[in-house]
Amino acid sequence: MSNFLDTINRWTEETEQSIDDVLQTVVLMVGKSVVTLSPVKTGLFKGNWQLTIDGSANSSLIRRDPEGNSTLADIAAKTNTFTAGQVAYIQNMVTYGYDLEYGYSNQAPEGIVRVTALKFAQIVEDAVRLHKNN
């Protein structure tokens, strides 16, 4: 009986870890999408994407990141702490974000979040596929 319980416990732990791995990958891929799609004039909008867990952001950042590398690094670091049962928020709190989403920028005429939302099912499928063999 002890072996059976050990097997069930091990399977449960592995399954929980697999779920967390997939969720973390989804969050990271969504973050990468919105940062990459963000138009660049000064880098302020691209640098203002924030990942918060279990609570939304309440202010914008003073970060200019034209390439998005620092922003993606911050998102990746926070993604590693995200687990099933929590809520991840990827937000951009600059005041002109709504305008950029709805056609103000020639660099992102179809939006940023809307394009990412259209790709969401594929992002999830890719994340599952990536971790399926692990």
Side-chain angles (χ1 to χ4, degrees), residues 6 13 20 27 34 57 77 96 102 110 132:
D6 290 343
E13 289 172 11
D20 288 347
V27 170
V34 294
Y96 55 89
Y102 288 97
E110 301 298 319
K132 191 172 188 173

Side-chain angles (χ1 to χ4, degrees), residues 17-82:
Q17 186 60 55
S18 294
I19 291 168
D20 288 347
D21 290 345
V22 169
L23 289 173
Q24 289 170 359
T25 300
V26 167
V27 170
L28 186 58
M29 292 171 83
V30 167
K32 184 175 182 179
S33 179
V34 294
V35 171
T36 302
L37 291 170
S38 293
V40 177
K41 184 172 183 180
T42 65
L44 186 63
F45 182 74
K46 191 174 282 242
N48 260 272
W49 287 105
Q50 305 174 56
L51 169 62
T52 56
I53 298 172
D54 286 338
S56 62
N58 56 15
S59 64
S60 63
L61 303 173
I62 312 284
R63 175 174 51 194
R64 296 184 190 283
D65 188 12
E67 289 80 35
N69 296 329
S70 295
T71 304
L72 287 172
D74 284 352
I75 290 171
K78 290 178 183 168
T79 297
N80 290 331
T81 67
F82 180 63

